[in-house]
Amino acid sequence: MTEEIEFILDSTKESMTGSIAHLEKEFLNIRAGKASPAMLGSVFVDYYGSATPLSQVSKISVPDARTITLQPFEKNMLHVIEKAIMVANIGFNPMNNGDVIIISVPALTEERRRDLAKQAKVEAEDAKVGIRNARKDANTDIKKLEKEGTSEDICKSAEEEVQNLTNSYIRKIDELLVSKEAEIMKV
């Protein structure tokens, strides 16, 4: 195979791997009933005029499966953190006891579990779209090379390789989705 085709295949693989990594990150934000510091990953606090991730202004710990505690590094940040959690609209009601913020993670209802499973399916479908776009871009680049004089056989085998990559990454997404759905639906 030519250098150009190997470059196209490598960049396609990199793009598809990025889609999988993004999906895994999105799946972390979909909570499955157990308390986890990752649940607060989308919360940003106004820290002296700049939006700062919650993990950089407080110590986040999970003492049990239903509780998250936040110990701010500065006492005056208690109310700011509490407000930021409310504004983030992630379904938590923080309680401030003057020293720490305590968040009780409610048990998921059957309906909420189904909604989260649907959300996971949407995220998986978005990842599949990313994979397919990478395939389309690669095939377009291969067609350009064919027009520029690269042999038809080499281009056909490269297109087959791109399709094999696509199939394997789509299978990986399906596997991730099945495991995430099982995690969500487990009571």
Side-chain angles (χ1 to χ4, degrees):
M1 256 188 243
T2 65
E3 243 179 69
E4 292 98 346
I5 288 184
E6 288 199 20
F7 176 75
I8 291 169
L9 291 174
D10 287 345
S11 63
T12 302
K13 204 179 288 184
E14 191 176 308
S15 176
M16 290 180 176
T17 303
S19 289
I20 296 281
H22 179 74
L23 176 66
E24 289 171 337
K25 184 173 170 253
E26 290 301 315
F27 275 178
L28 284 178
N29 292 334
I30 299 175
R31 67 186 188 99
K34 260 186 343 200
S36 160
M39 294 176 171
L40 300 172
S42 62
V43 179
F44 284 83
V45 178
D46 180 28
Y47 186 68
Y48 299 108
S50 67
T52 307
L54 186 58
S55 59
Q56 292 183 11
V57 294
S58 66
K59 178 181 170 245
I60 303 172
S61 57
V62 182
D64 60 58
R66 295 261 177 251
T67 312
I68 300 173
T69 59
L70 298 140
Q71 175 75 52
F73 298 136
E74 299 176 26
K75 276 274 199 248
N76 63 341
M77 293 300 293
L78 274 168
H79 294 293
V80 177
I81 292 171
E82 192 175 16
K83 184 179 173 197
I85 293 169
M86 298 288 257
V87 169
N89 196 20
I90 50 178
F92 294 140
N93 191 14
M95 293 176 287
N96 177 350
N97 71 3
D99 290 324
V100 294
I101 294 173
I102 302 166
I103 299 171
S104 293
V105 178
L108 295 174
T109 63
E110 185 67 27
E111 183 181 342
R112 182 67 179 135
R113 287 180 193 280
R114 280 196 209 97
D115 289 344
L116 290 173
K118 283 180 190 171
Q119 186 181 345
K121 280 182 183 160
V122 167
E123 295 297 342
E125 196 52 47
D126 287 348
K128 286 180 182 180
V129 168
I131 300 288
R132 290 183 195 117
N133 285 339
R135 174 185 63 191
K136 188 182 101 193
D137 293 344
N139 285 337
T140 303
D141 292 344
I142 290 169
K143 293 251 188 281
K144 279 183 195 166
L145 287 177
E146 192 174 346
K147 286 180 183 171
E148 293 171 4
T150 304
S151 110
E152 193 177 321
D153 290 344
I154 291 175
C155 290
K156 279 286 180 228
S157 70
E159 285 176 356
E160 287 172 14
E161 180 65 27
V162 168
Q163 187 58 48
N164 291 340
L165 277 174
T166 302
N167 293 343
S168 71
Y169 278 94
I170 297 271
R171 262 194 308 279
K172 175 117 170 95
I173 289 172
D174 289 336
E175 291 166 8
L176 288 170
L177 177 62
V178 166
S179 70
K180 186 62 178 182
E181 283 179 328
E183 179 186 332
I184 290 169
M185 298 310 280
K186 189 174 91 182
V187 179

